[in-house]
Amino acid sequence: MADGQPRRRTVDGAPDGGKPLDRVWVAVDTGGTFTDVVAWGADGLRTLKLPSTPDDPSRAILDGLARIAPDATRLVLLHGSTVATNALLEGRGAAVTLITNRGFEDVLAIGRQNRPQLYALVGHRPPPLVPAERRLGIAGRLAADATELEPLDESELADLAARVRATGAESVAVCLLHAYADGAHEQRVGRALEPLGLPLSISSELLPEYREYERTSTTVVNASVAPVMSRYLRRLEAEAGAERVAVMGSNGGTLAVERAAREPAHTVLSGPAGGVVGALEWARRAGHPSILTFDMGGTSTDVSLCPGRPLHTREFEIDGRPVALPVLDIHTVGAGGGSIARVDPGGALRVGPESAGAVPGPICYGRGGTEVTVTDAHLWLGRIPADAFLGGEGGLDRAAVEGPLRRLADGLGTSLDAAAEGVLAVADAAMERALRVISVERGYDPRDFALVAFGGAGALHAGELAGRLGCDRALIPPDPGLLSAWGILTAPLSHAVSRTLLAAADRPDTTRRVDDARAGLTPTATEALVGDGADPERIEVRCEVDARYRGQSFELRVGADEGDDWAEAFHAAHAARYGYRRDDAPVEVVTVRVTATAPGTPVVSPAPTPVDAPATRRARTVVVEGRALSAPSVWRRDLGPGHRLNGPALVLDYSATTWVPPEWRVEVDEIGVLHLRSGAEPTTL
């Protein structure tokens, strides 16, 4: 394997009127297999891809910083972190004690009435993060309109810290009924617990919205990972030597490190969010703002639909536990380059969700892997040239794949080539289903969108998936295997705040209440962003509302800036999503949301260098549908605007390989984006 040396792409001229940059911005996306690093400074854009260190993610990050910015005197570190997510999935969260109203201690165990396994006689739910002995009820009660029905008991508050200490708590979650309407009771409980010196997660600060189960679950999730995330970020902050550290948030914007440590639940989709931001930015530059994002990494594939803008949702769960904070609407399946293929007891071929990860990794990496993965199948079929991995630095071992692939083929009763193609077909089917979930199942026709493929393996599957979906084209941005890190680098600063209203549009005071909520939330969001270092003159504010028809249980989000008719916007959104609208039904505004954003890192992306001489082409052998075909391979750096190449063909790059299937072509546009389209045309190389 290569030791991972930075790649540099220079830019003619520096931003800000030609003034040299006096600092270096570095974005790091920690994945299951690779850690991707992108740096922007006076000498242009540098990129680096190196193996992840799952036992301690910070080791790969610090190694990457030392390689990509060894001489930086002023360093800004932007990080897409999986620490909070992995802590939850692996059960490594802190011991949490929950403080709630007496009589409501079991809300986490009761949850909702939906059945996680529809056809199981006895459904299974993950155990609550807080066991019964650490769920403490106290006196005090507010009504939904913030009226105090029962006061807090002062003597009980005085003894509360001792009760919590006796539970062995490492972190505390406070979630009282209707605290979204008034957080005064929760604040008093928080002050009573301050002598403990433990991390406190208070629901009215983290998520002041109604739905007690989701708010409690979110607050407990935050409390569970807060100590782990805080230790990790403090260590990273100290050892990185950066003047500022920020973390990518799940909503598509970056958070100051202080807030990420205090409210780590905002980072559960940190890395994938960076990919969506980066994909949408490149698609806009290429003239295709309506896209399906397709991020295929080493462990999983993340897909999202962006009809000109990212879509958000609050219906998000991690390991079966709701996290009701606004996140980008991303759907994940366990199909990645490291996904392991096997034959199940019924003789069917399965691929994933188990992954070889970074250690031991696919067989061809030579780190001890013994089971065939998607990457091994690509290598065997010739779609990843063994001598071109990581720009030619990392040689892959094709011979090592033969024995395990033969065992897999024998289990299927087929040839080695057919088994390898079967692995890819099964992975494609899983990813196609995921793309249809976020498009067809939500009322969108995928033929109206361009597929933007990225991640280390995305460009290998883009053509086939675009064809199956009927997309007009697939786009491959520059450095596709590093796009999530690039998106983190360019993501805006962001701070979102919300307030539950629960008011019907036909009431005479509802418009005023929405306006008042917007006016009250806007200073909170903007002041927080200024505190994170944003320029007040460049902050933009957007207001939205979650609305529904009276009697419905779920909401749709629509714009509600000053002058917007949010009720009519909801009718239109409902018709688009569900196929009908009810003009005679009252519309209820549930929650008002205000999001303040400011521009991120001032990156100037290098334009592709015009290429006068024909690109050097090397013939490769690629297996397609059982036939060995000759396919030219070219390095992406040798392609210039206007170049066109018919498939079957391979476009090689440092961070990813693009596979152009037969009957497809690849074209290079003026900003260096590859366009995969169906149908052959005269080659211009």
Side-chain angles (χ1 to χ4, degrees):
M1 290 295 297
D3 59 0
Q5 295 303 313
R7 297 290 169 138
R8 178 183 297 176
R9 291 194 293 153
T10 58
V11 182
D12 293 332
D16 300 324
K19 298 178 182 178
L21 294 169
D22 62 351
R23 60 167 55 91
V24 177
W25 288 266
V26 180
V28 181
D29 175 39
T30 301
T33 305
F34 284 99
T35 292
D36 301 331
V37 189
V38 176
W40 166 248
D43 59 350
L45 197 68
R46 290 186 177 189
T47 59
L48 175 65
K49 204 172 182 73
L50 68 165
S52 293
T53 50
D55 60 311
D56 179 6
S58 65
R59 280 197 293 116
I61 296 171
L62 296 172
D63 186 17
L65 290 175
R67 297 186 193 189
I68 206 167
D71 304 320
T73 57
R74 300 186 65 189
L75 179 69
V76 176
L77 175 60
L78 310 171
H79 182 24
S81 171
T82 58
V83 170
T85 306
N86 292 342
L88 285 170
L89 295 177
E90 297 168 10
R92 295 187 291 104
V96 178
T97 292
L98 171 65
I99 310 300
T100 188
N101 301 87
R102 185 169 295 124
F104 287 83
E105 296 92 340
D106 292 330
V107 67
L108 283 179
I110 296 170
R112 294 292 180 188
Q113 293 182 348
N114 57 307
R115 298 180 61 178
Q117 297 88 31
L118 185 60
Y119 298 107
L121 293 178
V122 179
H124 170 74
R125 296 180 186 273
L129 281 176
V130 184
E133 61 271 19
R134 291 206 304 268
R135 302 196 292 260
L136 306 182
I138 62 173
R141 181 79 178 269
L142 295 179
D145 62 357
T147 302
E148 186 177 70
L149 302 178
E150 179 186 2
L152 293 172
D153 186 321
E154 294 298 333
S155 62
E156 194 172 33
L157 288 180
D159 296 336
L160 189 57
R163 290 179 64 193
V164 171
R165 187 181 294 111
T167 66
E170 299 172 331
S171 183
V172 182
V174 180
C175 192
L176 303 180
L177 284 175
H178 306 303
Y180 58 84
D182 187 340
H185 277 196
E186 287 193 347
Q187 296 299 324
R188 289 175 62 190
V189 171
R191 288 193 293 272
L193 296 174
E194 285 178 356
L196 291 172
L198 296 176
L200 286 176
S201 297
I202 297 177
S203 78
S204 54
E205 297 177 355
L206 179 69
L207 184 67
E209 300 179 22
Y210 101 120
R211 290 194 173 99
E212 303 304 325
Y213 169 57
E214 286 77 8
R215 182 158 53 88
T216 304
S217 174
T218 303
T219 307
V220 166
V221 164
N222 191 80
S224 176
V225 297
V228 177
M229 190 69 163
S230 179
R231 287 193 299 268
Y232 170 75
L233 290 177
R234 297 307 177 199
R235 177 190 167 194
L236 188 62
E237 189 177 26
E239 297 187 17
E243 66 179 19
R244 182 169 73 87
V245 178
V247 179
M248 187 70 191
S250 304
N251 67 344
T254 56
L255 313 171
V257 67
E258 293 80 9
R259 187 181 181 206
R262 185 177 66 254
E263 300 179 356
H266 284 288
T267 70
V268 291
L269 281 181
S270 183
V276 173
V277 172
L280 186 57
E281 177 59 26
W282 275 111
R284 284 170 174 162
R285 296 182 185 186
H288 296 276
S290 294
I291 61 171
L292 295 165
T293 71
F294 169 57
D295 178 6
M296 185 177 180
T299 305
S300 61
T301 293
D302 302 304
V303 298
S304 184
L305 181 139
C306 300
R309 68 192 189 284
L311 298 181
H312 293 77
T313 181
R314 291 177 63 251
E315 299 171 29
F316 176 73
E317 292 186 354
I318 181 165
D319 198 24
R321 299 177 175 95
V323 178
L325 296 167
V327 301
L328 291 183
D329 195 355
I330 297 172
H331 183 65
T332 302
V333 292
S339 293
I340 295 171
R342 69 189 188 283
V343 180
D344 71 11
L349 177 62
R350 303 287 184 184
V351 178
E354 298 82 5
S355 173
V359 179
I363 299 167
C364 59
Y365 285 6
R367 299 200 195 113
T370 59
E371 297 181 278
V372 175
T373 67
V374 172
T375 296
D376 295 317
H378 276 299
L379 177 66
W380 182 262
L381 296 171
R383 301 185 187 187
I384 301 177
D387 59 351
F389 185 63
L390 286 180
E393 294 177 0
L396 299 179
D397 188 352
R398 185 176 186 272
V401 177
E402 182 173 358
L405 182 59
R406 186 176 300 281
R407 290 192 293 272
L408 183 69
D410 290 345
L412 295 169
T414 189
S415 68
L416 274 69
D417 289 348
E421 289 201 272
V423 170
L424 301 186
V426 172
D428 279 341
M431 294 182 292
E432 180 188 358
R433 285 195 298 273
L435 288 163
R436 291 188 180 278
V437 165
I438 60 153
S439 56
V440 176
E441 292 188 13
R442 300 181 185 180
Y444 294 95
D445 188 340
R447 293 174 296 184
D448 297 332
F449 296 80
L451 180 72
V452 180
F454 54 101
L460 287 164
H461 296 258
E464 278 97 345
L465 289 173
R468 291 185 182 204
L469 295 168
C471 293
D472 175 65
R473 69 187 69 205
L475 307 179
I476 316 296
D479 291 318
L482 295 148
L483 188 73
S484 290
W486 189 87
I488 293 168
L489 182 69
T490 59
L493 295 169
S494 175
H495 195 99
V497 289
S498 60
R499 180 182 300 168
T500 289
L501 284 190
L502 292 174
D506 56 357
R507 290 182 51 179
D509 64 338
T510 296
T511 298
R512 177 189 57 78
R513 291 181 63 191
V514 171
D515 291 342
D516 289 348
R518 180 175 58 242
L521 293 172
T522 296
T524 303
T526 56
E527 289 168 10
L529 216 54
V530 171
D532 291 346
D535 181 352
E537 300 299 320
R538 306 188 70 188
I539 293 177
E540 296 183 359
V541 178
R542 182 180 72 256
C543 180
E544 298 171 301
V545 297
D546 295 347
R548 66 188 181 189
Y549 289 125
R550 180 178 294 164
Q552 289 184 327
S553 299
F554 297 94
E555 300 84 46
L556 294 175
R557 187 175 303 179
V558 295
D561 288 320
E562 187 173 357
D564 286 350
D565 186 346
W566 52 265
E568 175 55 33
F570 168 76
H571 286 301
H574 195 279
R577 173 67 67 89
Y578 301 111
Y580 71 97
R581 55 185 287 163
R582 297 173 54 194
D583 292 296
D584 58 334
V587 177
E588 293 179 332
V589 55
V590 176
T591 301
V592 177
R593 303 183 184 278
V594 169
T595 303
T597 58
T601 309
V603 175
V604 178
S605 298
T609 303
V611 179
D612 297 326
T616 301
R617 300 165 65 178
R618 176 179 171 182
R620 309 270 185 175
T621 299
V622 181
V623 176
V624 180
E625 296 180 356
R627 296 181 299 143
L629 304 178
S630 177
S633 68
V634 297
W635 284 98
R636 188 166 181 170
R637 61 177 176 261
D638 295 333
L639 299 177
H643 277 166
R644 183 187 304 117
L645 181 65
N646 290 323
L650 296 168
V651 179
L652 311 179
D653 201 354
Y654 168 66
S655 65
T657 295
T658 300
W659 162 241
V660 187
E663 308 303 325
W664 283 70
R665 69 182 186 273
V666 61
E667 302 171 349
V668 186
D669 69 11
E670 63 276 6
I671 61 173
V673 173
L674 303 183
H675 294 240
L676 267 64
R677 305 194 66 175
S678 178
E681 289 189 0
T683 295
T684 59
L685 293 182

